[in-house]
DNA sequence: CTGTCACTTGAGAGTCACTGTCAAAGGAGG
DNA sequence: CCTCCTTTGACAGTGACTCTCAAGTGACAG
């Protein structure tokens, strides 16, 4: 979500030095500690200060890394992945189909490995209002990017009503899928649920 | 001051006494004062304390009435109206059609009267992240109620995937409509934009 | 009208997420 | 090894939001 800190002077590859690796390691560690504490005492009862103490960093650093308390739960790297994949689909592919494929691919190939962690984080996304609205915000940003992708593919303007409606409906549907998946205790594979949802959406929201 | 005609016992309707009327009047007044201040100094720069002072109530009361700062902007009475209308549509009417009619009716008959105020409030909903997420939350509540309505009409369970996807896509589309309407400076009537959006949704999100 | 009851309001103190600043620490590059 | 510049931590706010308690004030009965 929050744009990465932009270095004043562009170095050659600011992404791979010791600094960057240290930062990523620290973030993973902090998130882990935070989730442990949240699991034990509840999200609301754990202060940032507490997390900072437990993770042995300063509260300032947590804010610099994550921006907000919700992001301690929500932070992950999937969104850019999906967008990247959509852009890599060949231009001839139908736009909706490109999205469908990309999301399915992630759901099938990447997520299963992290499923434990994902479930753990999802619980908060549906039980803590603050986390929930952070999730929605994140999804909205993804929506904007999907819309831009669709705009490029179709030649339409990004502010076009049709595009807005389509991408909003898509991400709305996606959130519904996550909610269903969560509430049915991850019974079916995410991919299977996604397929059913896509069918409903492209079938014109007909019920039955 | 003439005493209003007071029915002997009024236990049945605790909603119309002097207390309730005073409260509603106070809420309207506070919201007005708040919007004036926000317009003049910007949302973030105005504290609740300031609003309270200007409106001559205590900050505690503002929290009791509105709960959060965003609700000072977002509070209105349309949502229950729409839900009420949906429920009143005859049972034979196609569910989607019932929703479409109810929303259109409100957009056509009720909103134009308050359009000035609505626009004023919309500006904050799209420029202030906090207000925005409050709006989303409100819309999500409406979604839950729409879904229940659909469940009753179709005999499906409220947790059904199809139902979730349909209602989420609908409200997603609705938010997109509001955004489009706002960003195009309220050029077209809300009703007209809604019609176009409904067509896209029931056409299966086909682009072009 | 009047007293009692129950609900509402205001005052005040407290918590905590989040921000901005500044000096110190420590990688990056020569 | 040394200089630069980014990152870190310490610190001091700010303001949204919560809780509690005492005082005020409509509702209602007698």
């Amino acid at each position: 979500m929050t744009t990465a800190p932009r270095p004043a002077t562009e170095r050659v590859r600011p992404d791979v030095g010791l600094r960057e690796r240290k930062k990523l390691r620290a973030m993973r560690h902090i998130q882990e500690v935070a989730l442990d504490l949240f699991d034990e005492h509840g999200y609301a009862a754990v202060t940032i200060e507490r997390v900072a103490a437990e993770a042995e960093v300063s509260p300032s650093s947590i804010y610099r890394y994550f921006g907000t308390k919700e992001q301690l739960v929500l932070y992950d790297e999937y969104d850019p992945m999906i967008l990247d994949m959509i852009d890599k689909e060949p231009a001839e592919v139908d736009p909706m189909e490109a999205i469908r494929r990309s999301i399915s691919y992630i759901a099938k190939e990447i997520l299963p490995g992290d499923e434990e962690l994902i479930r753990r984080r999802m619980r908060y996304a549906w039980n803590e209002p603050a986390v929930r609205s952070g999730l929605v915000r994140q999804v909205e940003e993804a929506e904007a990017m999907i819309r831009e992708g669709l705009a490029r593919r179709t030649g339409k303007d990004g502010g076009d009503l049709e595009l807005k409606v389509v991408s909003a409906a898509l991400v709305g549907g996606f959130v519904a899928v996550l909610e269903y998946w969560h509430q049915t205790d991850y019974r079916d594979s995410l991919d299977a649920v996604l397929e059913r949802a896509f069918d409903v959406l492209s079938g014109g929201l007909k019920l039955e």
Side-chain angles (χ1 to χ4, degrees), chain A:
Chain A
M1 54 153 284
T2 331
T3 26
R6 198 181 309 272
T9 44
E10 267 307 305
R11 291 247 172 277
V12 197
R13 299 190 55 190
D15 282 9
V16 286
L18 174 55
R19 260 179 191 164
E20 195 64 15
R21 272 178 292 137
K22 254 182 96 170
K23 175 178 169 176
L24 286 176
R25 185 147 27 91
M27 285 184 77
R28 267 193 290 275
H29 175 237
I30 293 168
Q31 190 179 45
E32 218 165 278
V33 167
L35 286 173
D36 285 345
L37 288 172
F38 293 161
D39 283 347
E40 190 176 356
H41 304 103
Y43 178 81
V46 177
T47 68
I48 293 278
E49 217 167 322
R50 180 79 194 280
V51 176
E54 205 87 7
E56 298 188 278
V57 293
S58 77
S60 322
S61 294
I62 295 190
Y63 282 109
R64 251 191 302 274
Y65 290 157
F66 295 94
T68 65
K69 189 178 176 185
E70 310 105 69
Q71 285 300 316
L72 277 174
V73 176
L74 293 171
Y75 171 80
D76 67 36
E77 301 136 348
Y78 303 126
D79 294 5
M81 248 187 224
I82 294 180
L83 296 165
D84 203 53
M85 288 204 55
I86 293 178
D87 272 349
K88 280 187 183 137
E89 286 284 329
E92 321 87 68
V93 177
D94 175 73
M96 275 287 278
E97 183 57 25
I99 294 176
R100 187 168 183 158
R101 276 191 210 169
S102 307
I103 295 183
S104 285
Y105 179 83
I106 303 276
K108 229 182 289 196
E109 306 294 332
I110 312 286
L111 300 195
D114 311 313
E115 200 164 310
E116 191 57 37
L117 179 59
I118 291 177
R119 292 184 185 189
R120 204 172 166 205
R121 292 164 51 216
M122 290 257 283
R123 233 185 56 229
Y124 295 104
W126 264 272
N127 294 150
E128 292 293 334
V131 180
R132 168 63 175 240
S133 62
L135 172 75
V136 169
R137 222 195 123 172
Q138 200 164 287
V139 161
E140 279 184 333
E141 270 162 39
E143 187 266 350
M145 289 192 276
I146 285 179
R147 179 151 35 85
E148 273 316 305
L150 286 178
R152 257 176 274 129
R153 267 169 193 274
T154 57
K156 287 176 189 291
D157 183 85
D160 182 85
L161 175 63
E162 263 188 290
L163 274 182
K164 274 181 192 288
V165 172
V166 167
S167 53
L170 273 175
V171 301
F174 184 68
V175 173
V177 163
L178 289 180
E179 180 170 308
Y180 178 84
W181 194 46
H182 171 71
Q183 288 176 350
T184 54
D185 248 330
Y186 314 95
R187 199 169 5 105
D188 310 318
S189 80
L190 178 58
D191 186 54
V193 183
L194 275 170
E195 287 299 315
R196 288 169 59 200
F198 268 118
D199 288 340
V200 173
L201 287 173
S202 45
L205 307 187
K206 297 279 185 304
L207 285 168
E208 225 19 356

